[in-house]
Amino acid sequence: MDWTTLIALKRHPEIEVYTQDGLHPTVEGSYLAALVIVEQVAGIKPLEIPVERLRRLTLPSGPIEIPASRVAALRQVAAEANREHGLPAETGKGGT
């Protein structure tokens, strides 16, 4: 289990990061991972992306909408995961 998942479970137990099999991510779990990766690769901080831009996603199976409150929680978890465990302060680039 990665830091992002641990933070999500601790701060927001209502967020289901994995499907029932415990191996595959839910839509929200995938979304959370994407927020973490975008900051590490592109330097775009999750908290700087407007919530409204993040609520509506189009997938091959069709469009989905995540409630604004849930998007806000996912943004906070991603930011915390990168701040505490993903981005060394001195470089601003991805870390461990």
Side-chain angles (χ1 to χ4, degrees):
M1 197 173 288
D2 60 64
W3 284 110
T4 306
T5 301
L6 292 172
I7 293 168
L9 292 173
K10 181 178 177 183
R11 304 264 194 271
H12 300 280
E14 75 281 4
I15 296 175
E16 293 185 18
V17 179
Y18 291 105
T19 58
Q20 289 182 342
D21 68 10
L23 299 172
H24 297 91
T26 61
V27 169
E28 290 177 349
S30 295
Y31 190 85
L32 179 58
L35 287 172
V36 170
I37 292 167
V38 164
E39 182 175 1
Q40 291 185 5
V41 173
I44 300 169
K45 297 182 183 302
L47 296 176
E48 294 175 354
I49 303 170
V51 170
E52 285 305 312
R53 291 201 59 185
L54 298 173
R55 288 189 59 216
R56 292 174 190 85
L57 306 170
T58 302
L59 303 176
S61 59
I64 63 164
E65 188 168 317
I66 300 173
S69 61
R70 189 63 56 92
V71 169
L74 292 167
R75 288 174 45 195
Q76 291 173 346
V77 170
E80 183 176 346
N82 277 332
R83 184 177 60 249
E84 299 295 327
H85 305 286
L87 296 171
E90 63 276 359
T91 64
K93 300 286 182 180
T96 54

